[in-house]
Amino acid sequence: MFITLALIPIIIANLYEKKLHWYQSISTVAFLLLSFGGIKWHQGIALIIYVVLEVILIKIYYEYRKRANVSWIFYIAVIVAIIPLVIVKITPAVYGGKASIIGFLGISYITFKIVGMIMEIRDGAIKEFKLRQTVEFLLFFPTISSGPIDRYRRFLGDYDKKLPQKKYLDMLEKGVWYIFLGFVYKFFIAYFFGTILLPQVGQNALAHGGISWWLVAYMYVYSMDLFFDFAGYSLFAVGTSYIMGIATPMNFNKPFSAPNIKEFWNRWHMTLSFWFRDYIYMRLVFFIMKKKLIKSKITIANLGYLTLFLIMGFWHGVTWYYIVYGLFHACAIIICDMWLRFKKKHRDQIPSNRFTKMFAVFLTFNIVCFSFLIFSGFLNTMLVHHIMK
């Protein structure tokens, strides 16, 4: 209700082709107070300190980059930017599940934005440091907790652009539709799978133990719950952004219809996968090729996949099932690449028709669902349950 009321002046201003930057800043502060106030006050303090220090870091690196471009300074800036996130992720593993006092909801996604800005400053893509816009970008409240992850230059273009009324009306219509669809996803479909079905299926899977049809059912139910819950939230964030006149990128694009695992990652949590691709995979591959550390392009690509998904696994948490989840996807993409190269070489001998395309989608869907079973940690729960019996 608060968000709906807060959006009304922004809607009116956009309809008159105006931008209320000052009001958006006030709304952001009010939203953060609601989100991080009360019993979460310590998270709010951590957020403020973190953003202040990181903005100072961005400013210092920007001023340095105008005069010089020494690689090790860039690496230090990136390391300093991610140290708080690393501490937050490692602390539960070191201290038996206890959360870090410097952690807060959304630290991962803000960190990704900061690192992206530092890298773009180094590349010369960001020509000017703007304090207010930087803070607005980092604290943009529809996406602060779970994304989608926007890019600074794209965000800034929408933030400063006064939209023609017709174009804004189209965005407003899409925004309302996305919010409605997100509501259906999260509060109906995800509720059905996650709140009604999942506990019952999980109990039966534990009762039967080992590999059973109940475990298979859990795999599918959990996968549906994960998708509709996360996609629903993402639609809320995108819809609210559109209403504010900012076209935040979509996070999902029919991922379960992907014909292979590489295409799946072009459709699933797209802003995160594209961020990892652009800022980790591509830069690692370019560095190895530039330094001529490895000659084989295939080996370089495979090393990039392993590094990328290991980092993604550790980012989710320092537990064996997240790390195995990352390795599983790295191996799946490596095998997918092998198949695509083989298919290209023998294109005249391998059939391609409606059936093979449907089978590819079916196979990819099941591989993804199995990876989500690993990701869920339920196999760990089953193991502990078996030991305790």
Side-chain angles (χ1 to χ4, degrees), residues 258-261 357-369:
N260 59 61
I261 199 70
K357 291 177 182 178
M358 290 176 62
F359 178 75
V361 172
F362 173 78
L363 180 62
T364 303
F365 171 73
N366 281 277
I367 289 172
V368 168
C369 288

Side-chain angles (χ1 to χ4, degrees), residues 74-363:
F74 161 72
Y75 294 129
I76 287 176
V78 171
I79 291 170
V80 171
I82 66 174
I83 282 176
L85 177 60
V86 172
I87 293 172
V88 168
K89 292 297 181 179
I90 290 178
T91 298
V94 175
Y95 293 98
K98 186 177 180 181
S100 171
I101 60 172
I102 66 171
F104 57 87
L105 183 66
I107 186 172
S108 291
Y109 295 94
I110 296 179
T111 300
F112 293 149
K113 291 180 178 181
I114 292 164
V115 172
M117 285 191 67
I118 291 173
M119 290 186 173
E120 290 188 349
I121 289 171
R122 189 215 186 189
D123 296 340
I126 295 178
K127 306 294 185 182
E128 182 181 0
F129 175 83
K130 299 180 179 180
L131 178 60
R132 177 169 58 83
Q133 286 87 336
T134 298
V135 174
E136 287 281 5
F137 169 66
L138 298 180
L139 297 179
F140 187 55
F141 71 82
T143 63
I144 189 172
S145 61
S146 299
I149 306 167
D150 209 344
R151 307 291 175 95
Y152 176 74
R153 287 180 297 154
R154 200 221 63 78
F155 173 86
L156 196 62
D158 284 356
Y159 182 79
D160 289 333
K161 188 193 309 179
K162 295 179 181 179
L163 297 170
Q165 187 180 88
K166 185 178 184 306
K167 184 174 181 180
Y168 176 70
L169 284 171
D170 291 339
M171 288 187 69
L172 181 63
E173 181 181 1
K174 288 181 180 178
V176 173
W177 167 247
Y178 289 150
I179 290 175
F180 172 77
L181 189 61
F183 185 86
V184 173
Y185 273 25
K186 189 169 180 66
F187 294 108
F188 285 89
I189 304 177
Y191 177 83
F192 172 73
F193 282 111
T195 304
I196 297 176
L197 280 186
L198 196 62
Q200 299 177 16
V201 174
Q203 287 177 6
N204 285 322
L206 289 174
H208 282 76
I211 299 174
S212 67
W213 286 112
W214 284 110
L215 181 61
V216 175
Y218 185 93
M219 177 181 78
Y220 290 124
V221 171
Y222 176 81
S223 297
M224 294 302 101
D225 175 49
L226 180 65
F227 168 69
F228 284 107
D229 185 75
F230 196 7
Y233 173 83
S234 294
L235 285 167
F236 282 140
V238 172
T240 304
S241 301
Y242 269 58
I243 290 173
M244 296 175 70
I246 294 176
T248 293
M250 294 292 288
N251 236 358
F252 296 90
N253 180 24
K254 301 177 182 178
F256 293 136
S257 63
N260 59 61
I261 199 70
K262 289 188 74 173
E263 181 62 23
F264 169 80
W265 279 106
N266 287 328
R267 297 164 177 255
W268 175 272
H269 203 348
M270 294 183 292
T271 59
L272 177 68
S273 61
F274 294 164
W275 190 95
F276 272 84
R277 178 198 66 192
D278 295 343
Y279 294 126
I280 296 179
Y281 176 82
M282 295 301 296
R283 290 172 186 267
L284 175 62
V285 167
F286 177 75
F287 176 81
I288 294 173
M289 293 178 68
K290 183 180 179 182
K291 299 295 183 180
K292 299 180 180 179
L293 301 177
I294 300 173
K295 291 183 179 180
S296 171
K297 292 183 179 180
I298 294 174
T299 303
I300 294 173
N302 292 344
L303 180 61
Y305 293 140
L306 286 168
T307 303
L308 174 69
F309 283 99
L310 264 178
I311 292 174
M312 188 178 289
F314 276 107
W315 167 66
H316 280 104
V318 187
T319 55
W320 71 264
Y321 44 86
Y322 289 142
I323 297 166
V324 170
Y325 167 81
L327 287 172
F328 178 88
H329 272 282
C331 293
I333 288 187
I334 290 171
I335 294 170
C336 177
D337 259 0
M338 291 172 59
W339 165 249
L340 291 175
R341 288 194 299 271
F342 179 83
K343 185 179 178 182
K344 184 178 180 180
K345 188 176 180 180
H346 301 84
R347 66 179 68 184
D348 296 332
Q349 302 170 16
I350 298 175
S352 178
N353 51 49
R354 187 178 179 183
F355 172 78
T356 58
K357 291 177 182 178
M358 290 176 62
F359 178 75
V361 172
F362 173 78
L363 180 62

